[in-house]
Structure formats: C-alpha cells, structure tokens
Amino acid sequence: MRESRRIRRVCVTMGAVATTALWCLSTAIATTDRSGSAEQLDGDGYILLDETATVLEADPCAQRLFPAAELTPGTELPDVLPEIEPLVSEGRPVERTIQPADRPVRATCERFSSDGHQLLVLQPAPTDLLEVLPDHSLILDSSGRITFADPTFADELDCPPGSLVGSQLESEIHPEEVDELRRILTQLRADPDTQQRIEFRIQTNTGEWRVLEAAGRNRLDEAPIDGLVFNCRDVTDRKQRENILREQKQRLERFAEIVSHDLRSPLQVATGHLERAAETGNEAAFQKVRQAHDRIDTIIGDVLTLARQGQNTQETEPVSLASIAHEAWATVDTKEMSLAIRADREVEADPDRLQQLFENLFRNAVEHAGEDATVTVGPVDPMHTSTRIGEQLPSGFYVADDGPGIDDTHRTSVFDSGFTTEADGTGFGLAIVAQIAEAHQWNVEILDSRAGGARFEFTEQPVDERLKPN
C-alpha cells in the first residue's frame, strides 16, 4: 500500500502519459503481496478518468468499494456514480465523503494540469462516529438539536452518554450565551467552509458550572457525521486564572489613581501651609501642616488595607456571624448605638477579614445613621428556583441600620475608592468592604432596611457568574 501511494504521487507530478504507463504497475502492487499472492481487497481504490470524466481504468479495490457500479473503461463515471459528479467538476483537488449503497467512502479527486486527466482516490470511511471524531465532540443537526454526544463529553457533565441526545444545545447552556450560539449556527449553515468558535457555560448534572471552548464546522453533507460538529475543551481553570489576573489589574489601576489624585491634594495643602509657616512662624499654619500629614497617613493606611483585603482569600473556615459581629462591635467607638443579632449563622470566611468588614460597616453607620441608631445583623435565607436540578438562590447575610438610608443617586458610587460625602472622610471604608466581599466571591447590594435605613446584603456569587466568558 505504501508503494501504491508513492506511485500515486509520481503520477500526479508526471502527468497523464506517465499515469497511463504506470497504472498497471500501481494496481499490481496494491493487490499483490511480496510472495506474489493476492491480498484482501480492502485498501485504497483508484479510478483514472479522462477530461470528460470517462473511466480509463479502475483497480479492483475501487470496484470492491462500489460493487453495484460498472467501472469498465469507457464508462462515463457520473452516469453510474452520480455522487461523484461534484468532485470531478470542481477543477481543483477536493475531498468528500460520499454514501454508496453499503458504506460511506472518502473520495479525493486530483486533476492533472497537462490534459485534464483526473485521479480519483477512494478509501473506506469509518462508520463509527467514535472513530471519526476527537474526544469531547458534539454533533448538532441544522436546527441545533444534539444528535450525538461523545462519551467523554457526557463524562465531563457527569451524565449518561445518551441523555443529551435529542435536546437543543441552547437549552443546555447558560441563557446569556444562547444568542451567540444562534449566531454561530446561522453562520455555519450560511458558509460551510468556515470554522466558528464560541465559549459557553454549561451545567453538570450535579449543578457545577463549567466553561467550554468549542470550534464548530459544517459537516452536514459528510457521512456518517451529517451534522454541525463542535469539538469542545474545558477551559474552566483558565477562565478562573484570567479572572484573578483581571481583578489584580483593576486593583493596580485603582491604587495608581489613588496615589496620583487622593494623596496629591493633602500634599499640596501641606506644602502651602508649610511655606506660610516658614514666612510667619504662625503656629496655626504648622497645625494645618500636621493635619494634612495626618490625613496622608490615614489615606496610606487605608490604601494598604485596601491592597491586603483585595487579595483572594486563601484559607477560610466556618465562622459564627454573631461572634464576629460582637468582636467587631467591641473595637469600634459606636457612641450610643445598639447592636441586634437577628439570628446566628455559620459562613465560610476568613475571620479577620470578616471582622474588618463589620468594623467598616459599623463606622459607616456611626457617621451616617446617627449616634443612637440600631444596627442589625442577620442571615439571608436561600430560596428554591425551578431549574432542572433544584438550584437555590445564594445564601448570605446582611447588616442594616435604622438611619436615613443612602440616596439612590449615591448607591452606585459608595463602593468607589475615594468617594465620600464627609469633609474629613477618606472614602475608603466602603471600598474596603467591597474588596473583602470580592475576595470571598460574595456579591454586595445596597437595599432599604425595613426601618428605612441602609441594608448591605452579602450573598454567595453564583459560579456561572464568576466564569462568564469575556
């Protein structure tokens, strides 16, 4: 067989005259072993055609692959094998899988430039999809319905191999990626020669979200596939690393902004008063310099805290909300305020960072809710949804007060570094709260409390949200 293919390459380079001369030798080598006995005719087959697609010669393997067709010299091939017509009319090397009566055949047509002669190379095509496709493959019909799911793909989703077959792929992936999938399917149907790529989130049978990267091709006309093929790979770990790097980049950008803007103002104040003090010796001017330096020191301390709290938590443990809240309350000058614990609950957290979160929220309440306000800490209970796996909404906790609340126009800004409505505030207290929440992969939302004050609600960030494709 190796010799047969070598001669085929020679035929292509030498043209039709040499092809005709070498044809018998090629056929003999393909069908006879070294001892001179005939091999089983199950290898590549060859058909030599003239410029009108008339058979000049066909070897026994070709006849075996198409037993119902008459392949004798002088036969016009499209008359006996209509499936071949698109190949021989292309005018360029082309490969297709065609479906005769018994089994699919992969056919490659190569045209000789000298006088239009063509060499048709035939190979038995695999009939088992597992032989044809790589691992983690899906086949969809033209409507997007799954007709085949590779067992390794099913293993990835922890579900029986056949359970996905028959369902629409868009019903299995995250709703936010459905429009992109529809666009990809439309493009594949419209332009079969293109390859389209997509990232989508898909849920395992146990409720875990994974991110898959898929390359899709249109093979609707290729037996035995007859569909749109998506070769997939799991990129969940890569997406998680990308998210961490993106968060680190965002923190660096925030710190650069703080250094360039927030520290510049008190430095300019200190410089101005220092010049005045040097000229006049006025003690009040020196006091202004000291106040500016104190503010700089406070900002630097908050920035360092912001940097530390923004790092992802490496070690967490189950901790009591009530216990951590009481410890934080004891470290803050809460004036005449009172603390109420609605109910205790264990949360998975870094206890030191959680205490810092409570301390900052309590200080915020002192500044904005009033010195005699009541602060309430309690759990956020999950609610069941109607998904196929009985998924629950995230659980968490809240910190609320009975003060005047937060104006709607400020709710999107209060977590920004440097935002404050107080003349002497640094604007980092709630930014640190947001960083601690982000490090724990919690969402934080500002709502109205039952008493009309501010309610800060912290809930577990859904895994699918963390893995959202860019």
Side-chain angles (χ1 to χ4, degrees):
M1 187 61 65
R2 185 180 299 124
E3 289 299 321
S4 173
R5 289 173 181 163
R6 184 162 61 85
I7 289 176
R8 170 189 157 202
R9 289 196 296 270
V10 173
C11 291
V12 172
T13 56
M14 294 181 63
V17 175
T19 299
T20 305
L22 290 173
W23 180 256
C24 294
L25 178 59
S26 171
T27 302
I29 294 175
T31 56
T32 307
D33 63 15
R34 292 178 182 175
S35 63
S37 60
E39 286 183 340
Q40 184 180 359
L41 303 179
D42 59 357
D44 294 357
Y46 301 89
I47 302 176
L48 184 64
L49 307 172
D50 66 12
E51 68 278 4
T52 65
T54 299
V55 176
L56 297 177
E57 197 69 59
D59 77 344
C61 287
Q63 189 65 69
R64 180 182 178 86
L65 290 171
F66 297 107
E70 182 65 43
L71 300 180
T72 57
T75 301
E76 293 187 9
L77 191 61
D79 291 344
V80 295
L81 287 176
E83 303 93 339
I84 295 294
E85 174 74 38
L87 277 79
V88 298
S89 62
E90 283 281 346
R92 59 184 177 85
V94 63
E95 179 178 318
R96 298 273 172 80
T97 299
I98 57 179
Q99 181 71 57
D102 54 348
R103 63 171 297 175
V105 174
R106 184 176 295 130
T108 305
C109 187
E110 298 176 355
R111 185 181 296 271
F112 305 126
S113 59
S114 59
D115 52 10
H117 281 50
Q118 300 174 83
L119 181 65
L120 196 63
V121 183
L122 309 169
Q123 295 174 308
T127 55
D128 188 345
L129 290 174
L130 295 179
E131 298 178 35
V132 179
L133 300 174
D135 291 348
H136 298 85
S137 293
L138 287 175
I139 299 179
L140 314 182
D141 65 14
S142 59
S143 71
R145 183 176 62 89
I146 300 173
T147 60
F148 172 82
D150 183 81
T152 56
F153 188 91
D155 289 344
E156 193 77 38
L157 300 183
D158 193 30
C159 63
S163 62
L164 294 172
V165 175
S167 64
Q168 292 287 328
L169 179 58
E170 67 177 51
S171 69
E172 301 293 336
I173 69 175
H174 196 281
E176 293 181 4
E177 277 95 63
V178 168
D179 286 344
E180 178 64 7
L181 175 63
R182 290 174 178 173
R183 186 191 70 79
I184 292 295
L185 295 180
T186 299
Q187 187 67 28
L188 286 174
R189 290 190 294 263
D191 190 355
D193 292 331
T194 64
Q195 177 175 274
Q196 300 291 325
R197 292 186 176 274
I198 183 175
E199 280 187 7
F200 57 82
R201 288 163 287 177
I202 190 165
Q203 202 168 26
T204 69
N205 208 42
T206 56
E208 180 186 7
W209 284 95
R210 310 294 295 176
V211 181
L212 299 184
E213 180 183 71
R217 284 191 177 277
N218 184 337
R219 301 178 69 176
L220 287 166
D221 296 330
E222 296 182 30
I225 296 174
D226 302 321
L228 304 172
V229 177
F230 284 85
N231 299 325
C232 308
R233 62 173 177 169
D234 192 324
V235 294
T236 307
D237 293 341
R238 190 191 75 192
K239 297 300 296 183
Q240 291 172 334
R241 291 193 298 271
E242 288 176 354
N243 289 341
I244 291 173
L245 290 174
R246 184 167 58 251
E247 291 166 2
Q248 291 174 344
K249 180 177 180 290
Q250 291 171 349
R251 285 198 297 272
L252 287 173
E253 291 173 347
R254 286 197 292 266
F255 298 152
E257 183 179 353
I258 291 167
V259 171
S260 63
H261 294 89
D262 296 74
L263 287 176
R264 181 174 297 169
S265 178
L267 279 173
Q268 290 172 339
V269 170
T271 301
H273 285 293
L274 185 60
E275 291 173 353
R276 187 174 307 159
E279 293 172 357
T280 65
N282 190 324
E283 177 61 28
F286 282 111
Q287 180 60 27
K288 292 289 187 181
V289 173
R290 282 190 286 270
Q291 290 174 354
H293 285 166
D294 288 342
R295 180 168 175 77
I296 291 171
D297 184 64
T298 301
I299 291 174
I300 291 173
D302 284 345
V303 169
L304 290 175
T305 300
L306 194 66
R308 286 192 296 268
Q309 300 300 351
Q311 298 172 359
N312 286 344
T313 52
Q314 299 298 320
E315 294 183 5
T316 61
E317 59 186 76
V319 295
S320 162
L321 276 179
S323 176
I324 299 294
H326 281 300
E327 290 178 16
W329 191 263
T331 65
V332 176
D333 181 6
T334 54
K335 310 298 182 183
E336 301 301 320
M337 294 172 62
S338 58
L339 175 65
I341 304 297
R342 181 68 60 191
D344 195 12
R345 165 171 291 164
E346 280 193 344
V347 296
E348 192 72 23
D350 180 319
D352 294 333
R353 292 192 184 188
L354 181 57
Q355 181 171 330
Q356 176 81 60
L357 179 145
F358 279 130
E359 289 173 0
N360 285 28
L361 289 174
F362 295 159
R363 291 191 186 98
N364 184 75
V366 172
E367 295 173 2
H368 299 284
E371 297 184 0
D372 60 349
T374 297
V375 176
T376 304
V377 175
V380 173
D381 293 318
M383 297 176 60
H384 288 276
T385 68
S386 58
T387 62
R388 61 188 174 91
I389 59 168
E391 183 182 4
Q392 292 183 336
L393 292 178
S395 61
F397 63 94
Y398 69 88
V399 178
D401 62 55
D402 56 3
I406 299 176
D407 192 280
D408 289 344
T409 59
H410 292 159
R411 292 190 180 185
T412 58
S413 306
V414 294
F415 294 117
D416 294 343
S417 301
F419 178 85
T420 180
T421 58
E422 300 293 322
D424 59 347
T426 64
F428 293 113
L430 292 182
I432 292 171
V433 168
Q435 288 278 42
I436 295 172
E438 183 179 327
H440 283 83
Q441 297 182 326
W442 297 336
N443 285 332
V444 55
E445 185 178 9
I446 300 176
L447 306 169
D448 292 325
S449 70
R450 290 183 178 179
R455 173 181 168 118
F456 294 84
E457 192 167 288
F458 301 86
T459 53
E460 299 168 353
Q461 191 179 87
V463 176
D464 63 314
E465 183 178 320
R466 302 176 211 162
L467 298 175
K468 184 175 182 179
N470 298 333

